[in-house]
Amino acid sequence: MKALILVGGYGTRLRPLTLSVPKPLVDFCNKPILLHQVEALVKVGVNHVILAVSYMSQMLEEEMKKQEERLGIRISLSHEKEPLGTAGPLALARQLLEENSDPFFVLNSDVICDFPFKDMMRFHKHHGKEGTIVVTKVEEPSKYGVVVYEAETGRIQKFVEKPQVFVSNKINAGMYIFSPKILDRIQLQPTSIEKEIFPMMAQEAQLYAMELQGFWMDIGQPKDFLTGMCMYLQSVRQKNPEWLHSGPEFVGNVLVHPSAKVGKNCSIGPNVTIGADVVVEDGVRIKRCTIMKGSYICSHSWLESCIIGWRSSIGQWVRLENVTVLGEDVIVNDELYLNGANVLPHKTISESVPEPRIIM
Amino acid sequence: MLKAVILIGGPQKGTRFRPLSFEVPKPLFPVAGVPMIQHHIEACSQVPNMKEILLVGFYQPNEALNKFLVVAQQEFKIPIRYLQEYAALGTGGGIYHFRDQILSGGPEAFFVMNADVCSEFPLLEMLDFQKHQGDTHSFIMLGATANRTQSLNYGCIVAKADTQEVLHYVEKPSTFVSNVINCGIYLFTPAIFQHIGEVFHRNHQQPFLEENINGWQRAEMIRLEQDVFTALAGHGRLYVFKTDGFWSQIKSAGSAIYASRLYLDRYNTSHPERLTHNQTEGPIIKGNVYIHPTATIHESTVLGPNVSIGEGVTVGAGVRVRESIILHGAVLQDHSCVLNSIVGWDSSIGRWARVEGTPSDPNPNDPHAKMDSETLFRDGKLTPSITILGCNVSIPPEVIILNSIVLPHKELTRSFKNQIIL
Ligand SMILES: Nc1nc2c(ncn2[C@@H]2O[C@H](COP(=O)(O)OP(=O)(O)OP(=O)(O)O)[C@@H](O)[C@H]2O)c(=O)[nH]1
Ligand SMILES: Nc1nc2c(ncn2[C@@H]2O[C@H](COP(=O)(O)OP(=O)(O)OP(=O)(O)O)[C@@H](O)[C@H]2O)c(=O)[nH]1
Ligand SMILES: [Mg+2]
Ligand SMILES: [Mg+2]
């Protein structure tokens, strides 16, 4: 079985992290976002993953070669010359997708959940139509495009963009399964699958919705990335609690890479991910943060709701908060305060940033 | 023989020093670990022939002041008395009212100094200057050089280039007059009382010539600066002695941190024993740090530069303090960080909390820069300044208190920035 993953966006909202690596390779809970998906796909029998790429494809290609071997599957890259949106890439990869008549998965690259691929296959087979999209419940539907469908069968009636009156609280979760017939609907040109293809399919009763159970998050921006991390760690707590770190200095769900070092008199957690080779010195307090590979946190610092990019280093008595995001290899000098700072890669910060802003 | 008078003001003065002046009279607020006016007293006690120091003010007699008098007299082996005005009589009215006390014993000269200044107190030089002046009856005022803009916040002096005779004096002019400013430290001879007396009598003849805005202004209320010096200038009686030594006003709490820095720096020569030095076991000291012997400091803390830690203060593991004054009984818990702040008596700061202010130091690149006259608000907004925690304030763990003033006895439960917390 095949899966096509849309990885061609610029990931602008996850900058400065995506200035160093393409979004699919950004580490989420110590694993590139894309691998969360690919590994789940492999588990349900997918043996050929097609990545629809446009920019920074070199890095992806290298990384995927490694994974191809490790996972024992085929990974192809489908290169776009210009961004083809969310539907166009299917037309570009048409030959690969049509190799047989099996249905195939299509995924946005930046959603995180308990991937329901098995259920999707079953559900899709059961209704027998062209497409299935996974939907998830949200609290504030007026912020999204919602999906209106028949409760018993799942048949989609319509899509409503940012509804002002309540019509549904289910939104597109960015995971689909399609029969190859869908390819007849898509031209090789920039096209939005959500806006141009789905409404037509719904009209023809060819599109069904399957409701996702459990957590879901689009982690395409820092704030949601952190929220998604909290959700993911909680699901780890339920399914694989042994992956989590425990001990007197750890509070709640904390993921620590085995190669990381954490000093004495720290208080880490809840909801912290510490990456490979990270060093956390003594007396550090961290909560609700992702610390990426190779970073260094000096004594007595305090971090909350931050993403610390790869190989960054934080001085002593530093306070970082309010979705401060440090790009790759950022240095924060001793005793500074950063509130909601967005710091581009390879910067040295030597002055506090008391109000949220971007540091070029 | 010589005497000295320190003008200590009273409770209605020093409002820019709130909320710290709620707990202790401003002249007793610790600067570099000792009460503000102890620096004056120490300087006076080193002048040969100094026989008595008089504190003149309108504070009700109080325990803090009494205690201070007892301790200071013992330490400096000189009589020190407090003379209480029946009302605020101004910088000239108070000494005029107590002129008999000042003149008793027949001093040939006496110093008068504002309490709220910090200075090298070049008193011997002033005496010397007076002696070599020719006229031993002249009055000497200490002057310093300011920059053009800041001079407007001070009393400005125009002096004759060769003799240093004061030709013109104006208090806080609205346009530039001179960059030589009045330091609030004077050397007078008894003849000064004739000049103050003239003002006194004139005020009595035409009592309410000047509009009485505060409702308490009276004929006995005389200002040395506006009423006496302005009139004396140009008559060959008043001279300025210019110093290049350090000097600053201490009006706001922010300037207390700056003044502490100046005095701590001088301790290197005047009182090396008051400075803490790095030892193999013990806190890491950067620059000049004063620690009261009764304070308990964890060995893993990092202190300085410019830190003064008061009596009975407890500083936990991994604490960082820089450019701050920690008043007696305060507790700084593990991993907390205090920068550019004054932590009030018996206040406590939770683990990993950050208490931070913005320094309002004079421009370090301008040798003549002074503290700006600090206004709390500018354009309706609180100007970022040092953070002040009043007495017995409690800061919970892990929060940040930034550029804020917290009034006494508050128990905070969250972070605050740029606020006055009543
Ligand atoms: N192949 C391809 N994929 C795309 C294109 N545009 C978006 N995507 C992918 O579609 C998914 C959803 O897009 P968005 O959530 O907007 O993500 P994004 O465009 O990467 O990020 P932003 O720049 O922050 O909008 C992501 O997985 C993107 O990688 C495109 O033109 N070509
Ligand atoms: N004894 C006494 N001292 C006073 C009185 N008024 C002021 N002082 C003291 O004199 C010194 C100078 O005070 P002021 O003249 O009010 O202050 P300033 O230096 O002109 O500064 P501003 O407050 O900006 O006017 C301070 O040490 C005061 O405490 C008074 O009425 N009686
Ligand atoms: Mg986009
Ligand atoms: Mg997205």
Side-chain angles (χ1 to χ4, degrees):
Chain A
M1 214 186 159
K2 295 187 182 65
L4 179 139
I5 306 181
L6 295 162
V7 293
Y10 288 111
T12 54
R13 286 167 297 169
L14 204 53
R15 287 175 183 165
L17 301 171
T18 45
L19 294 172
S20 300
V21 303
K23 186 158 72 176
L25 294 186
V26 169
D27 293 308
F28 176 81
C29 296
N30 288 347
K31 194 193 294 183
I33 296 174
L34 183 61
L35 276 193
H36 287 270
Q37 297 169 323
V38 173
E39 286 179 4
L41 288 166
V42 170
K43 268 202 198 131
V44 300
V46 169
N47 53 11
H48 184 188
V49 172
I50 301 153
L51 302 180
V53 299
S54 63
Y55 91 120
M56 281 214 247
S57 57
Q58 185 97 38
M59 275 175 104
L60 260 174
E61 206 165 337
E62 281 165 23
E63 178 62 29
M64 287 308 123
K65 280 227 184 69
K66 281 191 246 162
Q67 297 303 333
E68 224 175 4
E69 229 172 275
R70 186 176 73 94
L71 298 166
I73 58 163
R74 181 176 164 204
I75 301 178
S76 326
L77 266 68
S78 171
H79 289 272
E80 289 159 37
K81 291 207 181 57
E82 54 162 342
L84 292 175
T86 45
L90 274 71
L92 187 67
R94 181 162 190 163
Q95 270 189 340
L96 293 172
L97 295 170
E98 274 181 344
E99 275 173 2
N100 55 41
S101 60
D102 290 346
F104 54 86
F105 291 103
V106 172
L107 308 178
N108 277 357
S109 70
D110 53 4
V111 300
I112 212 81
C113 63
D114 259 337
F115 294 105
F117 298 140
K118 200 109 240 153
D119 295 342
M120 286 169 76
M121 287 158 72
R122 210 176 295 124
F123 182 85
H124 187 72
K125 195 163 174 190
H126 180 256
H127 67 68
K129 297 295 194 298
E130 264 178 50
T132 296
I133 78 177
V134 177
V135 295
T136 184
K137 202 152 99 182
V138 289
E139 284 181 359
E140 293 177 59
S142 58
K143 289 200 290 196
Y144 304 86
V146 300
V147 184
V148 182
Y149 60 93
E150 231 173 50
E152 311 83 77
T153 62
R155 189 179 58 79
I156 295 177
Q157 290 150 336
K158 58 178 177 179
F159 295 87
V160 184
E161 260 311 304
K162 304 201 168 67
Q164 293 312 301
V165 246
F166 182 90
V167 285
S168 161
N169 57 3
K170 307 293 191 305
I171 65 160
N172 177 350
M175 291 177 280
Y176 323 115
I177 187 164
F178 299 127
S179 305
K181 254 197 285 169
I182 193 181
L183 297 168
D184 294 336
R185 300 175 180 277
I186 303 171
Q187 306 291 304
L188 184 54
Q189 64 190 41
T191 313
S192 157
I193 201 165
E194 299 89 346
K195 298 208 173 72
E196 298 172 65
I197 309 296
F198 287 164
M200 218 158 56
M201 290 171 75
Q203 233 167 35
E204 297 171 23
Q206 288 294 332
L207 196 59
Y208 278 69
M210 185 189 102
E211 193 185 336
L212 179 69
Q213 306 303 316
F215 77 100
W216 176 88
M217 200 70 209
D218 178 333
I219 54 172
Q221 35 192 329
K223 193 167 161 286
D224 298 339
F225 183 97
L226 290 170
T227 307
M229 175 191 70
C230 298
M231 293 173 162
Y232 178 85
L233 292 181
Q234 184 56 26
S235 87
V236 172
R237 166 73 62 200
Q238 278 148 16
K239 288 185 300 189
N240 307 89
E242 70 281 1
W243 294 0
L244 298 175
H245 218 76
S246 54
E249 296 172 351
F250 294 85
V251 187
N253 303 329
V254 177
L255 197 60
V256 180
H257 192 276
S259 63
K261 291 195 186 66
V262 177
K264 290 178 300 209
N265 300 321
C266 289
S267 173
I268 313 287
N271 298 312
V272 171
T273 302
I274 296 181
D277 305 321
V278 165
V279 176
V280 176
E281 290 187 347
D282 296 348
V284 171
R285 175 82 181 102
I286 307 178
K287 42 190 192 184
R288 207 171 187 274
C289 288
T290 289
I291 317 288
M292 292 194 184
K293 190 171 158 55
S295 290
Y296 197 101
I297 321 279
C298 293
S299 300
H300 314 301
S301 284
W302 185 95
L303 288 73
E304 183 181 46
S305 297
C306 301
I307 305 176
I308 308 302
W310 309 269
R311 289 171 296 282
S312 286
S313 105
I314 315 284
Q316 303 183 66
W317 290 287
V318 166
R319 182 185 179 97
L320 301 181
E321 65 183 7
N322 191 17
V323 200
T324 285
V325 184
L326 308 185
E328 179 191 10
D329 177 36
V330 165
I331 297 173
V332 180
N333 287 348
D334 287 352
E335 298 165 26
L336 298 182
Y337 169 48
L338 270 58
N339 172 20
N342 218 299
V343 185
L344 271 57
H346 313 294
K347 272 298 281 188
T348 296
I349 305 289
S350 49
E351 247 175 62
S352 287
V353 182
E355 295 302 327
R357 69 190 187 90
I358 295 163
I359 311 293
M360 295 288 278
Chain B
M1 68 126 139
L2 296 167
K3 288 196 185 187
V5 177
I6 305 173
L7 298 170
I8 64 171
Q12 287 85 355
K13 304 283 306 178
T15 54
R16 274 169 291 175
F17 214 71
R18 288 180 180 169
L20 299 166
S21 49
F22 286 146
E23 311 303 323
V24 65
K26 174 175 143 181
L28 298 184
F29 185 82
V31 177
V34 307
M36 192 183 291
I37 56 172
Q38 185 169 320
H39 297 283
H40 301 55
I41 291 173
E42 184 175 337
C44 292
S45 72
Q46 287 165 1
V47 173
N49 245 338
M50 181 65 68
K51 288 291 183 274
E52 187 179 41
I53 299 171
L54 300 166
L55 311 185
V56 176
F58 51 99
Y59 286 99
Q60 291 298 323
N62 60 72
E63 208 191 302
L65 196 55
N66 292 341
K67 227 177 96 188
F68 172 75
L69 290 176
V70 171
V71 173
Q73 293 190 78
Q74 274 170 5
E75 181 164 353
F76 298 104
K77 316 231 160 9
I78 186 166
I80 308 173
R81 283 192 295 144
Y82 173 50
L83 304 177
Q84 189 196 347
E85 296 162 33
Y86 58 91
L89 297 181
T91 46
I95 54 174
Y96 187 69
H97 183 73
F98 289 113
R99 60 191 180 280
D100 293 342
Q101 307 254 19
I102 296 169
L103 296 182
S104 82
E108 57 271 13
F110 58 97
F111 290 97
V112 171
M113 20 192 141
N114 289 350
D116 57 0
V117 297
C118 95
S119 171
E120 253 173 10
F121 297 108
L123 305 183
L124 296 177
E125 289 91 327
M126 287 171 77
L127 283 165
D128 227 41
F129 177 77
Q130 189 196 40
K131 202 181 291 161
H132 292 99
Q133 237 295 116
D135 178 4
T136 47
H137 293 293
S138 58
F139 312 131
I140 314 296
M141 67 195 324
L142 186 66
T145 310
N147 64 35
R148 266 183 95 91
T149 26
Q150 289 182 327
S151 68
L152 307 183
N153 303 322
Y154 297 90
C156 294
I157 304 163
V158 181
K160 222 172 173 171
D162 49 351
T163 61
Q164 302 299 321
E165 183 200 337
V166 176
L167 298 176
H168 182 70
Y169 183 91
V170 52
E171 183 70 18
K172 303 185 183 76
S174 56
T175 55
F176 177 73
V177 172
S178 165
N179 64 353
V180 180
I181 59 164
N182 175 4
C183 293
I185 298 171
Y186 320 108
L187 174 60
F188 294 142
T189 62
I192 192 72
F193 291 124
Q194 291 159 26
H195 298 276
I196 304 177
E198 277 168 29
V199 180
F200 182 86
H201 293 299
R202 197 168 57 236
N203 282 358
H204 268 274
Q205 281 149 21
Q206 327 163 298
F208 299 107
L209 201 60
E210 226 173 292
E211 194 55 49
N212 160 358
I213 31 169
N214 300 327
W216 49 264
Q217 193 163 329
R218 52 184 83 232
E220 296 86 345
M221 156 75 195
I222 299 166
R223 300 159 304 179
L224 270 182
E225 302 85 356
Q226 290 94 325
D227 301 327
V228 181
F229 297 151
T230 304
L232 271 177
H235 290 94
R237 294 302 311 265
L238 186 60
Y239 292 81
V240 57
F241 174 73
K242 274 190 258 174
T243 175
D244 288 327
F246 72 80
W247 179 86
S248 175
Q249 280 195 324
I250 310 178
K251 293 295 179 193
S252 64
S255 52
I257 293 184
Y258 177 60
S260 273
R261 170 158 2 120
L262 299 175
Y263 279 136
L264 285 177
D265 194 34
R266 202 172 64 140
Y267 285 171
N268 282 295
T269 48
S270 66
H271 284 288
E273 79 286 356
R274 285 191 191 158
L275 295 173
T276 307
H277 297 284
N278 276 308
Q279 281 152 7
T280 41
E281 305 239 318
I284 295 172
I285 306 295
K286 299 184 168 183
N288 298 326
V289 172
Y290 167 85
I291 301 176
H292 193 277
T294 59
T296 312
I297 315 283
H298 194 275
E299 60 180 38
S300 62
T301 60
V302 181
L303 308 174
N306 187 22
V307 167
S308 316
I309 293 191
E311 201 179 322
V313 165
T314 306
V315 180
V319 169
R320 176 77 178 103
V321 187
R322 164 160 63 81
E323 293 287 345
S324 294
I325 298 176
I326 314 297
L327 297 166
H328 74 66
V331 178
L332 313 186
Q333 287 172 16
D334 297 359
H335 319 295
S336 60
C337 180
V338 177
L339 311 173
N340 304 305
S341 299
I342 297 180
V343 176
W345 304 269
D346 300 318
S347 285
S348 83
I349 296 178
R351 305 203 319 155
W352 282 294
R354 182 181 181 98
V355 173
E356 180 175 13
T358 302
S360 38
D361 290 352
N363 175 4
N365 301 318
D366 174 356
H368 299 314
K370 303 281 176 284
M371 286 298 286
D372 264 317
S373 75
E374 289 160 79
T375 46
L376 223 43
F377 293 92
R378 191 172 298 148
D379 308 326
K381 273 211 203 126
L382 191 63
T383 48
S385 72
I386 67 153
T387 285
I388 306 168
L389 308 185
C391 154
N392 189 30
V393 163
S394 136
I395 305 295
E398 305 194 25
V399 302
I400 177 167
I401 309 297
L402 184 67
N403 302 337
S404 292
I405 298 174
V406 187
L407 270 64
H409 310 293
K410 276 302 273 193
E411 190 166 325
L412 302 188
T413 54
R414 60 174 178 92
S415 294
F416 286 92
K417 294 178 189 175
N418 309 308
Q419 278 188 53
I420 298 178
I421 300 141
L422 291 175

